[in-house]
Every structure is written in structure tokens, then in C-alpha cells.
Amino acid sequence: MTIFSKIIAREIPADIVYEDDHVLAFRDINPQAPLHLLIIPKQEIPTINDIEEQHEVLIGKLFTAAARIAKAEGIAEDGYRVVMNCNQHGGQTVYHVHLHMLGGKPMGWPPYTEHMKQG
Ligand code: DGP
């Protein structure tokens, strides 16, 4: 059980921007861009390494939700970055898979965030 399961269960508050039967999206508590959302499956899958065939439809739904959310947030045309971190070298801190959606400014390249540079 991670903090994200508590957000899904409404046990702790979050600024939720999207919800359907399988997916929840909310604003990151520590934004790295003007728009920084986390898009998560309601089913808890710890890391990308745990994704199996049975999850393929669900993972697809994350991206369908991402497309809808980008349009709703007004960043679809300008563009945005979607990132999923895995384990320590990937900078993962919450072990419930999530897409980071970053936008509202040009994101630049390479895609290292400040907190990752320090690590
Ligand atoms: P990652 O490092 O890829 O595992 O990203 C985890 C993100 O989750 C990180 O950017 C901060 C965010 N986060 C952690 N705890 C909370 C929380 O309680 N609420 C919200 N909204 N975001 C959180």
C-alpha cells in the first residue's frame, strides 16, 4: 500500500483532475513544470518491471486518459512530456506505477530534473 492507494481511497487529499473506473490523475505535490500531473492505474502495480500481459489493456488506458487530460488541460497542441520512472536509477520514489505528465513550458533535453541531478 502506497500513498497513491490512499489518494485513490480518498484517505488523503489530492487535487484530482481526472477519474474513470480504472485511472486517476492528480497534480504532483512537488511540480517540476507549470503543469505536472500524475496519471495512475487504480490497480496497484509497483514498477514497470511488474507489468505483465494481463495489464496491457490497463496500461493502454493510462495513455488514453493522458490524451484526454492533455486536451482538457489545454496542452495537447503545444505538447508535453510523459515519463515513467522505474526503481532507484530511474528516480522512482512511489512504488505504484504512474505517468508523470509535464507541460506548460518547453521541457528541454536531456530530460533530467533538478532533484535527479542531485541524486
Ligand atoms: P516518482 O519519483 O517517479 O516515484 O514520482 C513520485 C511523485 O509523487 C513525485 O513527483 C512526488 C509525488 N508525490 C509524492 N507524494 C505525493 C502526495 O502525497 N500527493 C501528491 N499529489 N503527489 C505526491
Side-chain angles (χ1 to χ4, degrees):
M1 178 105 168
T2 72
I3 196 118
F4 290 174
S5 293
K6 292 185 180 161
I7 289 174
I8 293 165
R10 307 304 207 266
E11 286 169 14
I12 63 163
D15 189 353
I16 293 170
V17 299
Y18 176 87
E19 181 169 25
D20 64 32
D21 287 348
H22 302 283
V23 177
L24 188 74
F26 49 92
R27 294 187 197 283
D28 195 293
I29 206 166
N30 182 24
Q32 305 293 315
L35 184 97
H36 186 169
L37 304 178
L38 301 172
I39 305 171
I40 71 172
K42 289 185 174 176
Q43 181 183 346
E44 188 170 345
I45 304 169
T47 80
I48 295 175
N49 294 333
D50 301 299
I51 295 174
E52 298 176 352
E53 245 177 82
Q54 56 173 314
H55 303 122
E56 285 174 0
V57 172
L58 180 59
I59 298 302
K61 287 179 188 297
L62 282 188
F63 283 90
T64 308
R68 287 195 189 129
I69 292 163
K71 290 180 190 114
E73 295 288 329
I75 60 167
E77 289 309 314
D78 281 344
Y80 51 89
R81 176 168 295 151
V82 167
V83 176
M84 188 180 279
N85 298 325
C86 182
N87 280 343
Q88 194 184 1
H89 283 190
Q92 185 173 8
T93 58
V94 179
Y95 284 77
H96 180 136
V97 292
H98 48 280
L99 293 180
H100 292 262
M101 175 175 275
L102 299 142
K105 67 169 187 183
M107 296 307 301
W109 191 263
Y112 306 134
T113 61
E114 289 306 314
H115 78 281
M116 290 165 82
K117 280 182 197 164
Q118 289 158 17

